[in-house]
Amino acid sequence: MSVCDTANMIDLRSDTVTRPTLAMRAAMAAADVGDDVFGDDPSVNRLQQQLAEKTGHEAGLFFPSGTQSNLAALMAHCGRGEEFILGSLGHSFKYEAGGAAVLGSLWPCPIEYQADGTLALEKVAAAIKPDDAHFPRSRLLVLENTQNGRVLPLTYIKEAAGFARGHGLGIHLDGARVFNAAVKLGVPVGEITRHFDSVSLCLSKGLGCPVGTVLVGNKALLAKAHRARKILGGGMRQAGILAAAGIYALEHHVERLAEDHANAQALAEGLAQIKQIKLDLTAVQTNMLFLQIPQEDTQPLAEHLRQAGILILSGANLRLVTHLDVSTQDVERVIAAFQGYFASR
Ligand SMILES: *Cc1c(COP(=O)(O)O)cnc(C)c1O
C-alpha cells in the first residue's frame, strides 16, 4: 500500500481529510453558477448571505482557504506597518508562512495563550503601543476559537470585545472551527460570532467540504477584504460548485459535530487507560485530543497503526482529530490498535 492510499484508512491526522459525501457531491453537481468575480454566482451569494445571517453580520465573502481569508481580514483591518496582536500559537502567526508580513506589510505581536486558549487581557493591554514614531500602530486583536480544540468561554469573548473597543482595536476571530465551539456550548454560532468585527469560518474542516472559507463582517470591511482577495489571487469564477458544498454542509453537517466530540471523548477515555500514554482528559472539549507517548515509540507506533489501517501524524506529542469519516466503530478499532501496540512494550 502506498502512503497516499488513504481512502480506506482511519485517518486521524486532521479534520481536513474528509471526502465529500455522495449527497454533497450531488449538491455540487446541481449548483447554479455564474462568474463570481462579477458577483454573478447565485450559489456563492447564497452561501455568503446564509453565513452572514447565522453569524449576526452584514455580509460574507467566500475564499478558497482559511489562510487567505485570515490574511485578507488582517489586510482589511490594518494598513502597512500596522500591528495585530494574537496568540503565539495562533494560526496567522505560526502556520500561514508569515503571509501577513510577506504580503501585507503587517507586524505581528504574539502573546502566549493561557491554559484555556484565551489571551490575558492585561497582557494585551501591555502590548498595545503608545502613539509614538518608534512603534508600529496597534490596530487589531485576533482570537482563535476553537484553539487547539479548546472552546473560549462566552463571558471572555464579551469581555475581550469590550476591551478591544475600549482600546480602539478591531477584533477578528479565526473561527476555523467556531461551529465546533457553538455545538459544544449548545448555542447558535451567532452567540459567539456577533461579538467580533470579522470572523473567518472554515468549511473544509469539521463541516466536511472539499474547499472553502467564508469571512463575515460589515460591508465596509468586506469591501477592503474583497480588494485584498483580488490582490491575493482569490477571485474565483464559477465558484458556486464549491459554495454549494458549503450550503449543503450548513444544513447537514453542523449538528452532527457533536458526534465527533463524543468520538474524541471516547477515544481519549480509551487511550487514557494505557499506562504509557499521558493524556489530560479535561482538555478534550471538541474534536481534538493531545497525548504524549515515549519518544522511542513514535516511529514504531505510527508504523503499527499504519499496518492496522490507521493514519496519524507521528511524534511524541500526538494530536488526534475526529471528523465525519471517523465512526464510533473506528474509535474502538483505534483504541484496540493502541492497546495492541503498548501491550507488547
Ligand atoms: C485550518 C485553519 C486555518 C485555515 O487553514 P487553510 O488550510 O488555509 O484553510 C486557519 N486557522 C485555523 C485555526 C485553522 O485550523
Side-chain angles (χ1 to χ4, degrees):
M1 185 189 295
S2 97
V3 194
C4 296
D5 184 10
T6 60
N8 295 312
M9 299 188 78
I10 302 170
D11 193 341
L12 301 171
R13 292 174 301 169
S14 175
D15 48 8
T16 55
V17 301
T18 55
R19 290 170 169 82
T21 62
L22 287 178
M24 180 180 278
R25 287 170 198 247
M28 295 171 77
D32 293 327
V33 296
D35 189 334
D36 184 51
V37 171
F38 292 128
D40 286 350
D41 192 296
S43 300
V44 170
N45 292 338
R46 195 175 311 136
L47 173 66
Q48 291 175 164
Q49 182 63 33
Q50 282 182 1
L51 267 167
E53 278 167 20
K54 273 187 202 297
T55 56
H57 284 270
E58 215 170 54
L61 187 63
F62 187 55
F63 286 82
S65 72
T67 297
Q68 194 178 79
S69 166
N70 275 334
L71 177 51
L74 296 176
M75 290 169 74
H77 282 283
C78 309
R80 184 157 198 252
E82 294 182 338
E83 172 183 78
F84 59 104
I85 300 168
L86 80 174
S88 56
L89 295 174
H91 204 272
S92 296
F93 184 63
K94 236 193 139 185
Y95 302 110
E96 295 176 7
V102 176
L103 301 168
S105 298
L106 309 181
W107 182 255
C109 175
I111 291 179
E112 233 175 276
Y113 284 116
Q114 304 189 94
D116 62 356
T118 61
L119 294 174
L121 296 178
E122 56 287 0
K123 278 197 192 166
V124 178
I128 297 172
K129 311 298 181 285
D131 185 2
D132 177 317
H134 293 84
F135 304 125
R137 236 185 253 281
S138 307
R139 276 286 185 225
L140 180 70
L141 174 61
V142 179
L143 300 178
E144 202 169 290
N145 195 14
T146 59
Q147 205 297 311
N148 271 355
R150 297 172 293 196
V151 178
L152 303 190
L154 276 178
T155 49
Y156 171 79
I157 290 173
K158 286 178 201 161
E159 200 188 332
F163 167 92
R165 292 200 174 103
H167 287 80
L169 300 179
I171 183 163
H172 171 71
L173 179 66
D174 181 347
R177 296 186 177 87
V178 71
F179 279 107
N180 293 83
V183 166
K184 175 67 183 188
L185 292 176
V187 300
V189 75
E191 285 302 302
I192 300 172
T193 51
R194 66 190 171 85
H195 300 287
F196 295 85
D197 297 315
S198 56
V199 181
S200 173
L201 305 96
C202 285
L203 303 167
S204 56
K205 304 271 165 87
L207 297 190
C209 297
V211 176
T213 292
V214 175
L215 179 68
V216 296
N218 69 33
K219 286 183 180 159
L221 189 78
L222 287 198
K224 292 182 189 168
H226 185 258
R227 178 175 287 272
R229 188 183 74 174
K230 195 68 193 164
I231 292 170
L232 300 172
M236 297 185 286
R237 303 295 179 175
Q238 285 72 31
I241 299 270
L242 305 173
I247 293 168
Y248 179 89
L250 288 181
E251 205 169 314
H252 297 97
H253 290 174
V254 174
E255 294 309 319
R256 66 150 306 286
L257 291 171
E259 297 169 29
D260 299 342
H261 301 171
N263 282 336
Q265 188 65 39
L267 182 55
E269 284 169 13
L271 297 182
Q273 306 290 324
I274 298 171
K275 68 175 189 306
Q276 294 94 334
I277 290 180
K278 268 201 213 135
L279 192 164
D280 176 8
L281 277 175
T282 64
V284 185
Q285 297 179 16
T286 55
N287 67 334
M288 287 183 187
L289 46 141
F290 294 83
L291 48 116
Q292 281 96 50
I293 58 169
Q295 183 68 44
E296 65 271 20
D297 289 312
T298 57
Q299 277 313 319
L301 173 67
E303 181 52 26
H304 175 89
L305 294 176
R306 205 179 69 79
Q307 295 295 334
I310 298 160
L311 270 179
I312 60 167
L313 289 173
S314 84
N317 292 302
L318 290 180
R319 182 191 79 162
L320 306 180
V321 189
T322 56
H323 51 73
L324 191 57
D325 293 347
V326 175
S327 68
T328 304
Q329 291 79 358
D330 290 342
V331 166
E332 287 166 14
R333 269 182 60 194
V334 173
I335 295 169
F338 270 84
Q339 283 169 340
Y341 173 81
F342 283 108
S344 62
R345 304 293 293 171

